[in-house]
Amino acid sequence: MKKNLGTTDRWLRGAVVAPVLVVLALVVGTSSVLGVVLLVLAAVMVATAVVGFCPLYLPLHLDSHRKPRAGRA
């Protein structure tokens, strides 16, 4: 599994998107279907940010991970 999330993408997912989804879930109600879906999406955002890999990026041919330059160790 090759990393396909860059630093900025990972930071946004973990520090901005996931907390916003949790707050929305709390507003809607965590016991409602929409609240549960929002909490699951927040968990997915945190997990992909930690791992650095997003499976949805593969079929969309997206990659925000910076590749090391040739000749650098």
Side-chain angles (χ1 to χ4, degrees), residues 20-40:
V20 167
L21 290 173
V22 170
V23 168
L24 288 174
L26 292 172
V27 168
V28 172
T30 55
S31 59
S32 70
V33 174
L34 181 58
V36 172
V37 169
L38 289 170
L39 289 175
V40 168

Side-chain angles (χ1 to χ4, degrees), residues 2-13 17 45 48-49 52-65 67:
K2 203 168 66 164
K3 287 190 176 188
N4 62 4
L5 292 177
T7 306
T8 305
D9 197 357
R10 292 172 75 178
W11 184 85
L12 283 172
R13 285 171 181 256
V17 176
M45 289 294 132
T48 56
F53 176 78
C54 179
L56 188 60
Y57 275 20
L58 289 178
L60 299 175
H61 302 289
L62 295 173
D63 188 354
S64 63
H65 184 68
K67 308 291 186 268

